[in-house]
Amino acid sequence: MEILINSSPADITLENEKTIGDVLAGMEQWLAGSGNRLSGLLIDGKMISARELDGVFGLELKGLKTLDIRISSWQELAAEALGVLRETCNLYASASFEDRSGIYAYWESSPAAAFLADRIPDMAAFAARTFQGEGLAPGALGVLAEERLRELGDPAGETAAIEGLVSEIAARMEDLPLDIQTGKDARAAETMQLFSRIGEKLFRILFILRLSRQGAEDFTVNGLHVREFMDDFNAALKELTAAYENRDSVLIGDLAEYEMAPRLIQFYSALKERSAVSTP
């Protein structure tokens, strides 16, 4: 039997493997180390989707001619799932009330929904709430999915595009204690929300660079390894959140102006430089 990976001959020698499940189990460690995921199989030319894999694990190798193992990177699978979500949002937005329940049921059972639930749970939660009529409008969720697709497809471009926004949020963080002292509660709450969202976005882009093997392991921010920087960043953010909840304007001022705003700029600048260098 010939074993292929994405239609190319694979240097795999069978020993005691007797079933398809045995072969895939032997590949599990290699797949995990390569950053790829099993996305399907072709058994003697017949496509078996990832959703159907459980049904063929016990199939014996004896008598088979070819086993073409299809693998995809996390980024490829994520892009596919987010693309399906975006199209589902478009379909849902234009559907009649009677048809929407069927669209939601189809989404729930789709491989895209399963992938998001396992690998990008915040988007899965957004989708569930939207299709239940409780969260973002379908159009807004589609825009959010499009943003995540841009991050996957062009992390350097997406990083460069938000430079002005990062500067604006850093400036608003410096104004945060004054906003609280002068009763601008809505603006203060919005500033905290914007800061949290932009920080999450930068961490997502860093994660994508790490998956792409684009040098995140030796990535430093202001002289600190990125892991140490992230630990300090998260600790300061928790302290700021607690101070905000307690309305401690003095501590909020110190943390926002001298800790969080500078760290946001430092993190963004380092990430922009690294993503630009790492992009072919």
Side-chain angles (χ1 to χ4, degrees):
M1 183 188 69
E2 184 180 17
I3 298 180
L4 310 171
I5 295 180
N6 289 348
S7 300
S8 298
D11 186 16
I12 298 176
T13 301
L14 298 179
E15 296 179 351
N16 300 317
E17 293 84 358
K18 298 185 181 299
T19 66
I20 288 177
D22 292 337
V23 175
L24 297 182
M27 292 190 63
E28 185 175 354
Q29 185 174 0
W30 176 80
L31 283 172
S34 70
N36 293 303
R37 306 287 189 276
L38 179 66
S39 57
L41 291 174
L42 275 170
I43 301 175
D44 288 344
K46 180 183 178 181
M47 173 60 75
I48 307 296
S49 69
R51 190 165 46 176
E52 301 169 315
L53 287 177
D54 288 348
V56 300
F57 277 0
L59 188 63
E60 293 190 1
L61 299 177
K62 185 177 180 181
L64 299 182
K65 295 180 180 179
T66 60
L67 180 63
D68 190 350
I69 301 169
R70 297 302 175 93
I71 63 174
S72 301
S73 67
W74 183 92
Q75 296 95 311
E76 290 170 334
L77 294 172
E80 181 179 353
L82 290 167
V84 172
L85 175 59
R86 179 183 57 187
E87 296 307 313
T88 303
C89 287
N90 293 338
L91 182 62
Y92 191 88
S94 61
S96 66
F97 180 80
E98 293 76 13
D99 290 339
R100 285 186 168 186
S101 61
I103 295 171
Y104 178 40
Y106 178 80
W107 164 256
E108 276 193 308
S109 64
S110 69
F115 178 88
L116 293 183
D118 184 42
R119 301 293 178 178
I120 314 179
D122 65 324
M123 289 299 293
F126 286 140
R129 288 180 58 81
T130 291
F131 297 140
Q132 291 169 4
E134 300 174 353
L136 296 170
L141 180 59
V143 170
L144 187 57
E146 181 64 36
E147 178 187 7
R148 299 294 180 94
L149 284 166
R150 292 197 306 270
E151 292 171 2
L152 285 166
D154 185 13
E158 190 67 6
T159 302
I162 61 172
E163 185 167 4
L165 181 59
V166 170
S167 297
E168 178 186 348
I169 293 173
R172 286 184 59 152
M173 288 296 288
E174 295 175 354
D175 293 338
L176 184 60
L178 181 60
D179 288 340
I180 293 174
Q181 291 167 2
T182 55
K184 297 179 181 178
D185 293 343
R187 177 178 169 83
E190 184 183 54
T191 296
M192 290 288 290
Q193 187 177 57
L194 288 171
F195 181 83
S196 177
R197 287 181 178 176
I198 201 68
E200 290 171 357
K201 183 178 182 70
L202 296 179
F203 285 136
R204 288 197 303 268
I205 293 173
L206 174 62
F207 177 69
I208 292 167
L209 293 178
R210 291 180 65 185
L211 287 176
S212 303
R213 303 294 194 269
Q214 292 183 352
E217 289 306 314
D218 62 350
F219 180 31
T220 61
V221 182
N222 198 32
L224 295 176
H225 188 277
V226 67
R227 290 194 187 93
E228 186 178 355
F229 177 85
M230 289 172 65
D231 288 342
D232 289 350
F233 187 97
N234 288 330
L237 180 58
K238 288 180 181 178
E239 189 176 1
L240 174 63
T241 301
Y244 179 76
E245 292 173 351
N246 293 326
R247 311 292 291 181
D248 186 340
S249 60
V250 175
L251 182 55
I252 290 171
D254 288 342
L255 290 170
E257 183 174 359
Y258 300 112
E259 296 285 344
M260 304 313 300
R263 284 178 177 171
L264 179 64
I265 295 295
Q266 291 164 4
F267 186 27
Y268 173 77
S269 298
L271 189 64
K272 180 184 177 184
E273 180 180 356
R274 177 52 59 96
S275 62
V277 170
S278 301
T279 302

